[in-house]
Amino acid sequence: MAAGPEVTSDALRKEGAATPMLRVSGLAHRYGDDPGVAAAIEDVSFEIGAGELVCIVGPSGCGKSTLLRAIAGLHEPTSGDVVLHGDRVKGVPDDLAVVFQDYSRSLFPWLSVEKNVAFPLRSRVGRAERRARVAEALADVGLEGQGAKYPWQLSGGMQQRVSIARALAYRPALMLMDEPFASVDAQTRADLEDLVRRVRSEHGMTVLLVTHDIDESVYLSDRVLVLSKSPARVVRTLPVDLPAERDQITTRGSAQFVELRTEVARLLKH
Amino acid sequence: MPRWMRGLVGLVGFLALWELVSRTGLVRREFLPPPSEVGARLGELVASDAAFRADVLATLLAWLIAIGLATAIAVPVGLVLGQVEFLRRATQTLVEFLRPIPSVALIPLAVVLLGSGPSSKISLAVYASVWPILFNTVYALGEIEPQRIEAARSFGLKRMAVLRRVALPSAAPFVMTGIRLSAAIALIVVVTTELLTGGQGGGLGQFITIARSGGGAMDVVLAGALTAGIIGYVVNFGLERAQRQWLGWSEEVGR
């Protein structure tokens, strides 16, 4: 867990601090077997407590996505461990959902919005429960009444809302988000940032979000992990002691915010 | 001008040219009767010739069975080959060797093995029409957006579930295109086999052979050929409509 004062800490997170929900230790990954090939990530270690919202920020191409995919169990890291709820991750863990950057490629175009959201629930929960969860998740992301449409009939921002709803309906303990707002316009981006903060506190979810945007990482998170250039290592863990209630205008204008974002920017320069 | 009318322009122009060529005597009329005569003959056959109708039905039935079998064989095999690289490599040479063999060249073999009944023409049509479906299925599996697979895997779907719920629907538009190509091929092979075996199997091809051997009945021969064309057109039109109806999403997302 992060050192230093944490204004936003609550009971849930203190509990999390005692037994981290996610522990990543000595994680390294290189593509291919050739030891001469540069590693994508090298010796990444950190912990995340239950209920935390942590942002990983790093320069483009530093291996952030590789890191996230290893945590999600989508590929086996070359070395190191990912431990979730005390169990070593082998394959994709059960209570974890991923929101990818590219909604157009991660949603299923042959399924309606409703069926996309219900997709991970098939053969897991009953019909009535499924319908209730889908409706709730769509309401959570502000897409009531859009369920019968197809993803490609919606704007980019709305499609990403569908992706988020799909993850929410799954009710994961840990939600991983890989540059989730990199492909939407600025206004949508701000809306979606607030959406993530809201649903996370409503559902008591743990969120790990990867971004290359310094301001976004500070605005969103309880803690920022700053990664180095490739091969990625954790340069610093920075607690974000902004108030829990955040606002796109006042929070981003506060002296504290500016100080934090300057610190992150300075760390990224190294 | 609406689309269907533009499509009609070419057809009407072609028929007019044919009529002209025949009526002006550019080509001897008994060799190439004008479309108006052929059309009238076709109308007569459909209306009053029970044997002709039975032949058309026999061809249609053989064709339907052939395309059904070809799909039932090619899609599962394509799925396996598309998934298992070792098998794909192991069978590549064999497939590349078998595929170019014209199924017409296998007619003698089929007749010896299966006789001149419907099983010969069906088997040959299956042989010829398996390839486009097989190739399209294998190709489609290689072209699936990897992110789609990852998204499904990230929700804990295992290999078989990913295949069934993501790979199969993703591949469906390609497979459907393969089936459309194969449908045309199967019809050609069925009619050709009927025509060349001339046995007891019946069918449109046999009808044409018999008409030809009668001598001077070119209008009947062409009426038979025209029927095959009409069947092919209608079937392709139907499959295209079905594809747009159920797999229209692939046009929307460009893959």
Side-chain angles (χ1 to χ4, degrees):
Chain A
M1 271 305 281
E6 299 225 50
V7 184
T8 56
S9 64
D10 52 37
L12 198 64
R13 284 178 46 213
K14 276 185 194 123
E15 189 185 273
T19 47
M21 162 181 267
L22 176 73
R23 200 179 70 233
V24 175
S25 48
L27 203 71
H29 193 82
R30 58 179 75 240
Y31 290 99
D33 299 327
D34 184 3
V37 176
I41 48 177
E42 188 177 75
D43 196 21
V44 172
S45 302
F46 61 88
E47 289 180 355
I48 293 177
E52 263 196 302
L53 199 172
V54 174
C55 280
I56 293 181
V57 63
S60 287
C62 80
K64 300 186 293 282
S65 294
T66 306
L67 174 62
L68 206 80
R69 292 174 73 248
I71 295 171
L74 288 169
H75 65 193
E76 181 94 0
T78 312
S79 61
D81 278 335
V82 177
V83 176
L84 186 64
H85 305 304
D87 297 321
R88 186 161 180 265
V89 168
K90 278 176 285 173
V92 180
D94 235 0
D95 53 357
L96 171 151
V98 185
V99 174
F100 296 93
Q101 174 187 340
D102 201 337
Y103 41 80
S104 68
R105 294 191 294 153
S106 67
L107 293 173
F108 305 112
W110 59 89
L111 296 177
S112 66
V113 164
E114 235 158 34
K115 288 191 170 145
N116 262 286
V117 176
F119 182 89
L121 304 178
R122 278 262 304 269
S123 74
R124 274 176 197 271
V125 300
R127 223 182 139 98
E129 162 92 8
R130 206 156 66 215
R131 195 168 299 163
R133 281 213 212 173
V134 169
E136 191 193 320
L138 284 178
D140 267 339
V141 300
L143 286 179
E144 300 99 328
Q146 308 283 336
K149 288 190 180 154
Y150 283 84
W152 36 267
Q153 294 174 316
L154 303 175
S155 69
M158 282 163 94
Q159 289 186 51
Q160 195 58 307
R161 282 171 197 262
V162 177
S163 295
I164 295 170
R166 184 170 66 179
L168 288 176
Y170 190 61
R171 305 222 176 126
L174 176 63
M175 181 150 90
L176 301 176
M177 306 181 88
D178 186 8
E179 299 266 10
F181 315 132
S183 307
V184 298
D185 63 84
Q187 182 54 49
T188 307
R189 185 178 189 127
D191 292 345
L192 291 178
E193 284 169 359
D194 290 333
L195 171 83
V196 166
R197 280 196 63 81
R198 178 171 56 76
V199 294
R200 163 264 183 161
S201 61
E202 280 171 11
H203 294 265
M205 231 174 0
T206 312
V207 181
L208 178 61
L209 184 146
V210 156
T211 178
H212 66 268
D213 186 312
I214 297 168
D215 287 43
E216 182 168 279
S217 71
V218 173
Y219 180 76
L220 276 175
S221 69
D222 304 327
R223 204 144 58 87
V224 178
L225 296 177
V226 183
L227 294 190
S228 67
K229 283 204 262 306
S230 182
R233 285 172 300 101
V234 178
V235 177
R236 179 84 68 82
T237 298
L238 212 68
V240 176
D241 42 6
L242 293 166
E245 265 321 302
R246 295 181 194 179
D247 173 89
Q248 290 286 352
I249 295 162
T250 54
T251 304
R252 284 176 188 267
S254 71
Q256 223 176 348
F257 181 90
V258 174
E259 206 174 292
L260 280 164
R261 66 142 346 260
T262 309
E263 177 68 4
V264 174
R266 201 181 54 73
L267 288 165
L268 276 175
K269 277 223 148 181
H270 286 292
Chain B
M1 200 190 294
R3 239 180 67 166
W4 62 269
M5 217 191 261
R6 259 178 297 171
L8 223 55
V9 169
L11 184 66
V12 169
F14 170 75
L15 290 177
L17 192 70
W18 175 4
E19 188 84 31
L20 199 73
V21 164
S22 177
R23 288 208 184 268
T24 55
L26 208 61
V27 178
R28 280 177 60 183
R29 198 161 162 165
E30 59 262 45
F31 292 168
L32 185 70
S36 51
E37 267 175 40
V38 174
R41 173 69 64 197
L42 181 59
E44 255 171 59
L45 286 169
V46 172
S48 56
D49 191 333
F52 173 78
R53 287 199 298 258
D55 278 336
V56 171
L57 209 63
T59 297
L60 269 177
L61 206 60
W63 169 82
L64 207 67
I65 294 169
I67 202 70
L69 281 176
T71 306
I73 294 167
V75 172
V77 172
L79 287 178
V80 171
L81 293 186
Q83 295 271 304
V84 187
E85 205 193 337
F86 168 75
L87 284 179
R88 188 162 64 244
R89 283 176 193 279
T91 53
Q92 197 172 18
T93 312
L94 177 69
V95 166
E96 291 301 340
F97 167 72
L98 290 177
R99 188 169 65 110
I101 298 176
S103 51
V104 178
L106 297 173
I107 287 178
L109 178 68
V111 170
V112 169
L113 289 177
L114 304 163
S116 54
S119 48
S120 276
K121 59 185 178 191
I122 291 171
S123 308
L124 291 169
V126 168
Y127 180 87
S129 55
V130 137
W131 309 113
I133 307 175
L134 181 69
F135 274 74
N136 273 28
T137 307
V138 172
Y139 174 81
L141 285 182
E143 284 296 295
I144 295 173
E145 180 53 61
Q147 190 110 89
R148 270 186 210 156
I149 306 279
E150 280 212 326
R153 282 184 56 214
S154 75
F155 289 113
L157 267 73
K158 299 286 177 275
R159 199 184 165 106
M160 279 315 285
V162 170
L163 182 67
R164 191 167 49 82
R165 296 182 59 196
V166 181
L168 214 52
S170 286
F174 286 98
V175 175
M176 193 60 184
T177 301
I179 292 175
R180 271 174 49 210
L181 292 171
S182 291
I185 293 171
L187 183 63
I188 291 169
V189 173
V190 165
V191 174
T192 308
T193 310
E194 289 166 351
L195 209 142
L196 291 179
T197 54
Q200 309 84 357
L204 205 49
Q206 202 193 356
F207 172 84
I208 292 171
T209 318
I210 291 168
R212 184 186 56 180
S213 63
M218 226 32 200
D219 54 341
V220 181
V221 170
L222 287 177
L226 206 62
T227 308
I230 291 168
I231 292 173
Y233 177 82
V234 168
V235 164
N236 187 58
F237 182 80
L239 288 175
E240 221 171 43
R241 282 291 290 270
Q243 187 165 14
R244 210 168 308 146
Q245 177 73 35
W246 289 308
L247 306 168
W249 60 266
S250 67
E251 276 168 47
E252 299 294 339
V253 296
R255 47 188 312 142

